[in-house]
Amino acid sequence: MPRPLSHIRVLDLSRVLAGPWASQNLADLGAEVLKIERPGSGDDTRSWGPPFLKGKDGGETRESAYFLSVNRGKKSVTLDIANPEGQKIARSLAAKCDVLLENYKVGGLPKYGLAYADLRKINPRIIYCSITGFGQSGPSAHRPGYDFIFQGMGGLMSITGERDSEPGGGPQKVGIAVTDVLAGMYASLAITAAIAHRERTGTGQYIDLALFDSVVAFGANQILNYFTSGKTPARYGNAHANVVPYEVFATADGHLILAVGNDGQFASFCKVAGRPELAGDSRYATMPGRIRNRAALIPVLREILRERPSATWLAELEAGNVPCGPINNYKEVFEDPQVQHRGLKIEIPHSAGVPCPTVASPMRFSETPVEYTVPPPRLGEHTREVLGSLLGLGDGELDRLAAQKII
């Protein structure tokens, strides 16, 4: 059965993470994604290793784990868009595509004749999504930007990390490039919405997607605390500003997460812990009380949790319907029975002669499931196929372009 976007072709001029994350989402949904890469070097992340995928002989291939993580399901076309002839080919491809995705600096593509204003003249139905650091307008639009910077500027690091009064306190970034991932997710949602609009009206449009906007939007529930109270949200480490107890606790042999979301769950915890009197204490019986009396309650809970090992607590708390969980490293994540049941590790046959591992999409469709048949492409793997089939270029012309390093 055709997948949701199997009628859509995407010209992907993006690289690194935010744009490729978006185009991989579109590929998972069935879109044909033509990944345009620089001849000879390709996407920057191809060289962002080690680690690299290992071939049958155990030696490293040229495929970095970073590149593999966000480029499945795509076709690699090498094309030098700094060359006028390469620009002409890119425009010809855009005329045959539904979507163009790019993450060049503001003003970077008009000089190549590849701006939205240029392409809409030859393809009025095109959906053109630009992903930039700060967006297309404003006093910072010209500035380059990186995830780390945006996590700081956008407020995320002001609420991430241990409290200043605690050991190791201070601002901390999230362990993945979350701003890029967020921007990629928003971009893929915006593109699919624009496709739906075009299917009703026949009209394409331009999408201005900024990483800075994305990370600010990500903080909405904390920002609303600020908007409604006037108080600037602070760092709580592994604790929660509006829920108590909701943090990491040391046990007799490790750590676990206790995430008590309501008064009934707190009463259940107290019963499992053998301390039912805590649930009857007027200071702790309700969530507002526990929040106001956090400083008194948490040290008591810390002493209680240290009495038993993690495995014992997890089994007893789960039996008592108290939300809790371990703190897994990624090895342990993929040993979890639920992860294995859901099939979150996928292996796709790769031209290196070994399976290429990938992480399954969380999108589960009853009628049009995501397929995992096309591995991340080798550099330029599909150049001749795409330019021959879409633009009708023959072998002689392709040989000439290759000799001139245009493809």
Side-chain angles (χ1 to χ4, degrees):
M1 175 157 314
R3 286 179 285 165
L5 298 183
S6 60
H7 61 304
I8 297 298
R9 181 180 295 125
V10 179
L11 188 63
D12 184 7
L13 299 181
S14 70
R15 60 237 186 255
V16 186
L17 185 53
W21 193 280
S23 59
Q24 180 169 273
N25 282 336
L26 301 177
D28 283 348
L29 293 171
E32 180 185 13
V33 177
L34 311 181
K35 182 177 179 67
I36 305 302
E37 302 190 70
R38 289 169 296 192
S41 56
D43 189 313
D44 304 41
T45 63
R46 285 186 179 274
S47 62
W48 285 13
F52 293 92
L53 180 70
K54 289 183 170 58
K56 286 194 297 185
D57 61 358
E60 291 183 341
T61 68
R62 295 182 59 192
E63 315 303 313
S64 75
Y66 198 117
F67 177 84
L68 296 175
S69 71
V70 288
N71 285 290
R72 67 170 174 252
K74 306 176 187 179
K75 296 178 178 179
S76 174
V77 177
T78 48
L79 184 64
D80 181 7
I81 65 168
N83 183 291
E85 197 164 359
Q87 295 160 19
K88 181 180 178 181
I89 292 172
R91 285 191 290 272
S92 297
L93 288 172
K96 294 181 177 293
C97 288
D98 302 280
V99 175
L100 185 144
L101 177 64
E102 60 94 5
N103 62 351
Y104 281 72
K105 293 178 182 177
V106 172
L109 286 179
K111 63 184 178 182
Y112 300 138
L114 294 172
Y116 177 60
D118 302 311
L119 299 184
R120 68 184 299 189
K121 294 175 183 176
I122 60 176
N123 184 358
R125 290 170 54 83
I126 198 164
I127 294 160
Y128 191 117
C129 180
S130 294
I131 301 177
T132 55
F134 293 92
Q136 299 293 313
S137 62
S140 296
H142 66 286
R143 296 173 57 186
Y146 296 91
D147 166 77
F148 195 2
I149 294 170
F150 292 126
Q151 288 197 38
M153 289 186 68
L156 184 58
M157 290 175 64
S158 76
I159 58 169
T160 305
E162 192 50 81
R163 285 162 284 193
D164 292 339
S165 59
E166 297 291 327
Q172 183 69 49
K173 73 179 181 68
V174 178
I176 60 171
V178 65
T179 311
D180 288 87
V181 172
L182 285 167
M185 294 301 295
Y186 276 118
S188 51
L189 174 61
I191 288 168
T192 53
I195 291 170
H197 171 78
R198 192 187 69 178
E199 289 178 349
R200 291 196 307 272
T201 66
T203 304
Q205 61 182 302
Y206 182 78
I207 299 167
D208 173 7
L209 202 296
L211 273 74
F212 190 44
D213 297 355
S214 298
V215 76
V216 173
F218 183 53
N221 69 332
Q222 288 280 14
I223 292 168
L224 264 291
N225 286 346
Y226 163 64
F227 283 169
T228 56
S229 71
K231 296 179 180 179
T232 305
R235 286 184 295 277
Y236 280 86
N238 287 316
H240 194 294
N242 304 110
V243 184
V244 175
Y246 195 100
E247 58 186 88
V248 172
F249 289 91
T251 65
D253 64 350
H255 294 82
L256 60 75
I257 296 167
L258 184 64
V260 173
N262 58 49
D263 300 337
Q265 291 172 358
F266 184 67
S268 296
F269 165 76
C270 294
K271 181 179 178 180
V272 171
R275 297 290 299 275
E277 75 277 6
L278 290 174
D281 190 315
S282 61
R283 294 174 297 170
Y284 311 137
T286 66
M287 186 68 77
R290 292 194 295 278
I291 293 171
R292 294 189 182 100
N293 294 286
R294 180 196 302 262
L297 176 61
I298 294 302
V300 174
L301 300 185
R302 286 174 177 165
E303 290 303 315
I304 293 171
L305 270 297
R306 287 194 185 97
E307 295 173 357
R308 307 175 198 173
S310 295
T312 301
W313 275 120
L314 291 170
E316 294 179 354
L317 291 172
E318 287 176 9
N321 293 316
V322 179
C324 61
I327 300 173
N328 290 333
N329 60 37
Y330 281 120
K331 177 179 183 293
E332 293 165 332
V333 167
F334 285 90
E335 292 170 347
D336 186 291
Q338 180 66 16
V339 170
Q340 293 179 354
H341 172 78
R342 298 288 287 180
L344 297 185
K345 179 181 178 181
I346 302 288
E347 292 187 332
I348 309 173
H350 193 275
S351 59
V354 294
C356 174
T358 192
V359 180
S361 169
M363 296 182 284
R364 304 295 174 103
F365 298 90
S366 64
E367 303 301 322
T368 56
V370 174
E371 298 176 1
Y372 304 96
T373 57
V374 180
R378 290 178 288 108
L379 180 61
E381 181 178 352
H382 304 93
T383 303
R384 287 176 174 265
E385 170 196 328
V386 169
L387 299 186
S389 61
L390 285 186
L391 304 186
L393 299 184
D395 289 340
E397 181 67 358
L398 292 170
D399 290 341
R400 181 187 68 81
L401 293 169
Q404 296 178 355
K405 297 184 179 179
I406 296 170
I407 63 172

